Amino acid sequence: MAVALREAFQTYQGIWFGWTGRVAAQPSPEPRIVDKGGMQYALMDLTSLDRQEYYNGFANRALWPTMHYRVGLSDFSRADYAGYLRVNRTFARALAKLVLPSDLVWVHDYHLIPLAAELRPLGLTNLIGYFHHIPWPAPEVLGTLPGSTDILRSIMDFNLVGVQTERDADNLRRALIQELNAAPQKEDVLDADGKSICVKSFPIGIDVIDFQKVAARPRPNRILGQTIAGLGSRKLIIGVDRLDYSKGIRQRMEAYEHFLASNLDQRGQVTYLQIAPTSRSEVPEYETLSRDVNETLGRINGSLGEPGWVPIQYVTSSYPRSLLAALYRLARVALVTPMRDGMNLVAKEYVAAQDPLHPGVLILSKFAGAAQQLTGALIVNPNDKLEVAEAIRDALRMSHKERVIRWQSMIGPLRDRDVSWWATAFLEELAAQQRITATYPN
Ligand code: GDG
């Protein structure tokens, strides 16, 4: 996402406003202005209580699981929710001083849903857009989260809400109609509480040309050399995900185990490399996940491995982008099987990184937003281990001709809807909205 936004900033002038990711005992209420790499940043620290309640708490332990349909993992607390609102208010007060009357304000992701509702009472009538990077769940699922009606009410203070897929847009529109009695108007516009909002899908893309270049000419790297040497004639299967329960890493390992159990001739012939950089390690559910994945990994490698062959290679450190691109290109198969995902950029990066003459095969979950666009992938239900195991077998056996046809069907649409298309489409749509005229009480 950061790569995508940096791209947008090269085209449009702007200030990037946000949290430094750091905590301070007494953070300044004024943002620190930093110029770096041709961009201007306005950055704020938070207190450790803010980080606990706002970031680790409501955003990552309540909103994130609910939005990913994991209602059972969602842990709502009123204190966390109050912290979420408090930090959004702090951000709004600092940001309001930087915004000029003609500026467009583009807000990103679920940490900042109430930001427009906090900015409006400060007198901002600017066009404010919000892009939601993660899934927007069905209204019945969102409705399980306490505070969700307030969240929907605060959404109405944006002029434009962008989501990844038409499925997400439909879910949000239905929630606004059901919970706020919103009235649908022309073309994706709904009215409620005397306000108007446009809800539309803008599938995020990647910088396809740059990724192709990097993959074709990677920087020399020790790990790449070792991987190539270690593979020998074996085929490589790759998975790349933040270590997150939404990504289905444990389930994927079990599907691969199924594949090895039902295709004995493949033992020793393939290697599955899972790159899973640790994330949100302060959130207890992520600790549990890490333990589960390690146990599954140990069991599979212990029971199926042989001297000289480890079925699954697993790394939790983050690799440089150039190495990642080269590994994608080396892999005959990519396993991208999230249980839910707004889009999933790894799927797009894998396709972009392939050698056009010898492309690999993408196995993609039907619950990733990317499945709406990448129809040349083998589309699977990640809950069905047998189906995923069969897809692995089919991908490894797939003829050269079919691999090329499938890849060609995906690369064109990826190029047409790259990251520049995404940023431009969103900003043009935002600029085309009508400014609000209502005044808000202070
Ligand atoms: C959210 C939504 C939506 C991963 N490991 C390494 C590394 N990565 C990079 C990948 C990719 C990015 O991180 C992950 O993007 P995803 O889209 O797969 O997933 P989230 O982080 O959950 O992102 C998602 C996205 O926002 C954008 O809207 O698609 O649905 O959940 O770019 O390459 N990069 C490097 N080393 C690693 O080890 N350099």
Side-chain angles (χ1 to χ4, degrees):
M1 178 179 133
V3 172
L5 291 182
R6 209 160 287 131
E7 164 84 11
F9 270 86
Q10 281 163 10
T11 318
Y12 299 87
Q13 294 272 305
I15 301 180
W16 174 313
F17 177 95
W19 177 31
T20 53
R22 286 194 295 268
V23 295
Q26 285 183 317
S28 161
E30 306 298 330
R32 194 159 40 89
I33 309 290
V34 179
D35 287 304
K36 199 176 165 199
M39 283 180 42
Q40 197 169 54
Y41 299 83
L43 302 172
M44 300 191 70
D45 291 339
L46 294 177
T47 66
S48 69
L49 185 69
D50 289 339
R51 180 173 63 182
Q52 191 49 37
E53 294 177 343
Y54 158 74
Y55 184 72
N56 290 334
F58 188 72
N60 284 336
R61 286 194 83 188
L63 268 180
W64 174 274
T66 305
M67 296 256 172
H68 285 86
Y69 289 75
R70 298 297 294 271
V71 171
L73 290 182
S74 185
D75 191 5
F76 174 83
S77 110
R78 286 197 177 215
D80 288 350
Y81 184 47
Y84 179 74
L85 297 175
R86 180 181 68 243
V87 171
N88 270 278
R89 179 162 300 173
T90 306
F91 284 156
R93 285 186 181 145
L95 178 63
K97 294 179 192 154
L98 300 174
V99 177
L100 301 174
S102 60
D103 284 344
L104 298 176
V105 182
W106 189 1
V107 178
H108 280 275
D109 232 358
Y110 59 101
H111 315 87
L112 298 168
I113 299 177
L115 195 68
E118 295 292 345
L119 285 168
R120 297 298 187 201
L122 301 174
L124 261 81
T125 58
N126 298 59
L127 291 172
I128 310 181
Y130 168 71
F131 190 81
H132 188 74
H133 288 258
I134 64 176
W136 195 283
E140 309 75 57
V141 174
L142 184 71
T144 60
L145 180 69
S148 59
T149 307
D150 286 349
I151 300 265
L152 288 168
R153 231 172 249 127
S154 62
I155 277 272
M156 289 305 301
D157 278 301
F158 291 106
N159 301 92
L160 171 67
V161 171
V163 287
Q164 303 275 22
T165 66
E166 207 29 60
R167 181 168 55 198
D168 301 305
D170 181 55
N171 284 340
L172 174 53
R173 288 189 210 113
R174 284 193 298 130
L176 293 169
I177 292 167
Q178 287 172 23
E179 296 297 319
L180 306 186
N181 287 324
Q185 308 292 320
K186 62 170 174 53
E187 286 181 63
D188 314 316
V189 174
L190 293 103
D191 287 356
D193 300 343
K195 300 165 195 169
S196 234
I197 190 176
C198 176
V199 177
K200 230 176 149 164
S201 67
F202 300 86
I204 192 169
I206 61 164
D207 186 343
V208 178
I209 294 176
D210 184 60
F211 216 86
Q212 283 181 311
K213 259 194 237 152
V214 177
R217 271 197 216 100
R219 294 197 195 121
N221 184 292
R222 181 182 55 84
I223 294 174
L224 180 61
Q226 280 173 351
T227 310
I228 294 170
L231 272 176
S233 60
R234 281 185 198 122
K235 289 177 181 157
L236 177 65
I237 300 174
I238 196 166
V240 178
D241 316 74
R242 268 186 315 100
L243 189 52
D244 192 296
Y245 49 80
S246 66
K247 305 291 183 185
I249 298 170
R250 183 178 54 78
Q251 295 84 343
R252 185 184 309 166
M253 287 179 171
E254 288 169 355
Y256 174 70
E257 179 184 27
H258 241 292
F259 159 76
L260 290 175
S262 47
N263 294 274
L264 298 180
D265 61 321
Q266 289 298 308
R267 294 196 189 179
Q269 303 302 309
V270 288
T271 291
Y272 163 28
L273 168 63
Q274 176 65 52
I275 300 169
T278 310
S279 77
R280 303 179 194 167
S281 45
E282 289 176 11
V283 178
E285 288 75 23
Y286 288 73
E287 239 178 77
T288 312
L289 169 75
S290 174
R291 232 185 1 254
D292 284 357
V293 168
N294 278 320
E295 273 173 25
T296 307
L297 173 77
R299 183 176 55 71
I300 297 172
N301 279 345
S303 62
L304 298 177
E306 294 160 7
W309 176 59
V310 182
I312 306 177
Q313 294 189 345
Y314 180 65
V315 288
T316 56
S317 46
S318 181
Y319 280 2
R321 188 158 167 268
S322 151
L323 172 58
L324 215 54
L327 291 170
Y328 285 143
R329 195 174 173 103
L330 195 61
R332 169 57 74 87
V333 178
L335 271 176
V336 184
T337 54
M339 312 312 278
R340 282 283 160 184
D341 222 327
M343 177 53 63
N344 195 295
L345 296 181
V346 168
K348 294 189 169 183
E349 289 164 359
Y350 177 74
V351 172
Q354 295 311 294
D355 177 347
L357 298 177
H358 301 283
V361 183
L362 173 64
I363 298 177
L364 181 59
S365 161
K366 66 194 274 195
F367 301 120
Q372 309 288 311
Q373 291 174 292
L374 300 177
T375 48
L378 296 180
I379 306 289
V380 294
N381 181 341
N383 298 298
D384 186 345
K385 283 170 202 137
L386 214 63
E387 188 183 326
V388 178
E390 283 169 2
I392 297 174
R393 182 202 58 205
D394 294 348
L396 290 167
R397 281 188 192 164
M398 192 179 285
S399 69
H400 175 260
K401 187 173 167 209
E402 185 175 349
R403 281 190 281 129
V404 172
I405 291 172
R406 284 178 177 271
W407 179 80
Q408 283 175 345
S409 76
M410 296 190 278
I411 193 69
L414 263 196
R415 278 198 202 108
D416 293 343
R417 293 205 157 186
D418 67 357
V419 68
S420 312
W421 169 86
W422 169 75
T424 306
F426 185 89
L427 287 169
E428 282 181 354
E429 187 68 52
L430 179 57
Q433 300 304 308
Q434 285 212 316
R435 281 177 80 114
I436 62 151
T437 46
T439 46
Y440 285 72
N442 274 320

